[in-house]
Amino acid sequence: MEMKLTKGPSTISLGATNVLSSDILFIRGEGNYSNFFLKDGRKILSCRTLKHFATLLADDGFIRPSKSALINPSAIAHIDFKSQKSIRLVNEEVISISRRQVRPLKE
């Protein structure tokens, strides 16, 4: 009998609020703070850096297209590598892709 372990979304504790990684659209870094944008429209501010959350969410497939953003791949609606070099999310938010991240994201 073969058993497969399926890993569900991670849970992130943000103070008194617990958030599933699948509920996060993207995280915007603002200095030593991180602003979470959730699917239900809520915004949550955390006093941790984006780097901290990038390591926590790496197993969930989150991508970092620039120094100031961390994106849930399931929230991506369109990626423009040609003219604007940006990612459009399902909530119509546009995140720019840094010059150095264009090639790794294409692969």
Side-chain angles (χ1 to χ4, degrees):
M1 187 168 170
E2 185 180 321
M3 292 183 69
K4 287 187 178 180
L5 295 175
T6 56
K7 187 175 181 245
S10 302
T11 302
I12 304 278
S13 180
L14 302 171
T17 309
N18 288 330
V19 177
L20 286 174
S21 61
S22 59
D23 291 338
I24 301 170
L25 289 175
F26 72 101
I27 307 168
R28 180 174 286 139
E30 298 171 5
N32 286 330
Y33 295 91
S34 296
N35 224 335
F36 283 72
F37 293 82
L38 306 180
K39 287 181 180 177
D40 60 9
R42 290 185 298 158
K43 284 176 35 176
I44 301 173
L45 184 66
S46 172
C47 63
R48 301 263 181 167
T49 62
L50 197 60
K51 183 179 180 178
H52 170 78
F53 293 112
T55 56
L56 284 178
L57 295 168
D59 290 340
D60 291 310
F62 276 67
I63 57 173
R64 191 159 182 187
S66 67
K67 194 174 170 182
S68 63
L70 191 62
I71 299 176
N72 185 345
S74 66
I76 296 174
H78 178 72
I79 300 177
D80 179 15
F81 287 116
K82 300 207 184 297
S83 61
Q84 302 230 343
K85 295 185 179 41
S86 62
I87 298 173
R88 186 170 36 87
L89 303 178
V90 292
N91 67 343
E92 299 301 320
E93 186 83 29
V94 176
I95 309 288
S96 62
I97 302 172
S98 74
R99 186 170 37 118
R100 292 182 177 161
Q101 291 298 327
V102 171
R103 182 169 285 137
L105 284 177
K106 277 185 178 179
E107 297 169 357

